């Protein structure tokens, strides 16, 4: 009988455990690595402005690599290419993406621009009774341009190669780098460098579109023929008020007036009330613009604005609605809180 010392046995077990652990770690990494799928294409048609448009729709993933040739991410996209175009140099191609940041392009794809959309109620506020299936979209712009709907990394089905390094895509510059690289690679793969090229961004996507126009030109020498901004977010001051920022108050006023009318807080004709609120909204905005042009200090700006922020009454038939300027309300809040605004 061969005798093995306890020390030798212990060393052997440790080496075996280390080998198994390394193998398991490698297996986990392989499983976590996204598998790139082959593109899938189908033929279809849609009627736009009375004309039938035949097209090929393709879903696929485009792999991004860094300057060292290392795989970085797979970008999922859906493209619609019009059939029968003999000269592609005359056929525009448009890259469309939503905003968020953190949103896939499904909203523009199935809600606005694609040849097939999901139907909604007339005013878009009520869900339809199921089952709901996609229908032809006569408002699609496929008659004038090929369409490519792009999901930025970590949205939709787009994924980074290494999830531990996904943060590199989440900053403004990282987002622009990956999206511009995708557009450049797609254009190259499909031989569309001679085609007119457009980008369309919605909400935060409008900031992305503006950044891409510069990034594509500076880094790849790709000059866009146009940039389309849909419900653009170009100034974050419009989203929420903050000390020294009264712009969002004036922008929200018409919506707040309509909401108050809906809940019975304001009586009268809704359209008239909203129209008056929009007219009132322009006053503080204009004042802010005038003050900014004169480069006044922040303290003197607010002093001047508050002095002009008196309540405004809207007479509508037998009822009277009084709006207090958000600027005055802001000043009162600051006074009660005993802070400087």
């Amino acid at each position: 009988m061969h005798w093995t010392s306890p020390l030798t046995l212990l060393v052997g077990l440790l080496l075996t455990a280390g080998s198994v652990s390394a193998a398991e770690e490698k297996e986990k990494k392989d499983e976590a690595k996204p598998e790139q799928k082959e593109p899938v294409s189908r033929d279809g048609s849609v009627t736009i402005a009375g004309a039938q448009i035949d097209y090929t729709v393709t879903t696929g993933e485009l792999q991004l690599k860094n300057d060292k040739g290392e795989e970085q991410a797979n970008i999922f996209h859906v493209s619609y290419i019009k059939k029968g175009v003999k000269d592609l140099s005359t056929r525009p191609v448009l890259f469309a993406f939503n905003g968020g940041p953190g949103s896939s392009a499904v909203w523009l794809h199935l809600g606005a621009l694609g040849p097939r959309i999901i139907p909604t109620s007339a005013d878009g506020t009520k869900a339809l009774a199921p089952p709901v299936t996609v229908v032809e979209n006569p408002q699609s712009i496929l008659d004038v341009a090929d369409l490519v709907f792009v999901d930025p990394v970590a949205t939709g089905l787009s994924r980074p190669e290494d999830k531990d390094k996904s943060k590199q895509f989440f900053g403004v510059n990282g987002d622009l780098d990956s999206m511009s690289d995708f557009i450049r690679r797609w254009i190259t793969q499909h031989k569309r460098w001679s085609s007119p090229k457009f980008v369309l961004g919605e909400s935060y996507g409008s900031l992305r579109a503006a950044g891409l126009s510069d990034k594509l030109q500076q880094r790849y020498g790709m000059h866009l023929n146009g940039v389309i901004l849909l419900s653009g977010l170009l100034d974050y001051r419009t989203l929420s008020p903050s000390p020294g920022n009264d712009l969002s108050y004036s922008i929200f006023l018409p919506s707040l007036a309509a909401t108050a009318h809906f809940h019975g807080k304001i009586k009268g004709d809704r359209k008239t009330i909203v129209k008056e609120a929009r007219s009132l909204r322009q006053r503080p905005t204009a004042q802010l613009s005038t003050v900014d042009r004169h480069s006044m200090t922040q303290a003197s700006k607010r002093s001047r604005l508050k002095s002009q922020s008196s309540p405004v009454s809207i007479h509508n038939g037998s009822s009277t609605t009084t709006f207090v300027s958000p600027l005055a309300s802001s000043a009162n809040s600051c006074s009660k809180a005993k802070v400087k605004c």
Side-chain angles (χ1 to χ4, degrees), residues 64 168-169 172-182 212 215 219-220:
L64 302 185
Q168 66 178 301
F169 301 102
V172 174
N173 291 328
D175 179 83
L176 291 177
D177 287 341
S178 60
M179 291 292 285
S180 62
D181 195 19
F182 167 84
L212 284 175
K215 178 71 71 171
R219 185 169 184 180
Y220 300 117

Side-chain angles (χ1 to χ4, degrees), residues 182-199:
F182 167 84
I183 293 175
R184 190 260 305 188
R185 290 178 182 271
W186 192 96
I187 288 292
T188 300
Q189 286 187 7
H190 294 80
K191 299 178 173 60
R192 299 297 294 269
W193 275 90
S194 61
S195 299
K197 293 170 282 290
F198 296 81
V199 295

Side-chain angles (χ1 to χ4, degrees), residues 34-51:
E35 179 183 355
Q36 189 174 17
K37 298 177 177 60
E38 291 297 321
V40 177
S41 297
R42 297 286 188 273
D43 293 331
S45 64
V46 62
T47 300
I48 303 174

Side-chain angles (χ1 to χ4, degrees), residues 225-278:
N225 295 80
V227 177
I228 304 169
L229 310 181
L230 178 62
S231 60
L233 172 62
L234 297 177
D235 188 344
Y236 271 86
R237 295 180 303 164
T238 62
L239 290 183
S240 59
S242 60
N245 171 32
D246 296 313
L247 182 61
S248 59
Y249 284 122
S250 61
I251 291 176
F252 288 164
L253 185 58
S255 297
L256 293 175
T259 302
H261 179 273
F262 177 82
H263 289 286
K265 301 298 183 181
I266 301 176
K267 305 299 182 181
D269 180 67
R270 181 177 64 85
K271 290 184 178 180
T272 301
I273 291 173
V274 171
K275 182 179 180 180
E276 293 288 350
R278 286 175 176 165

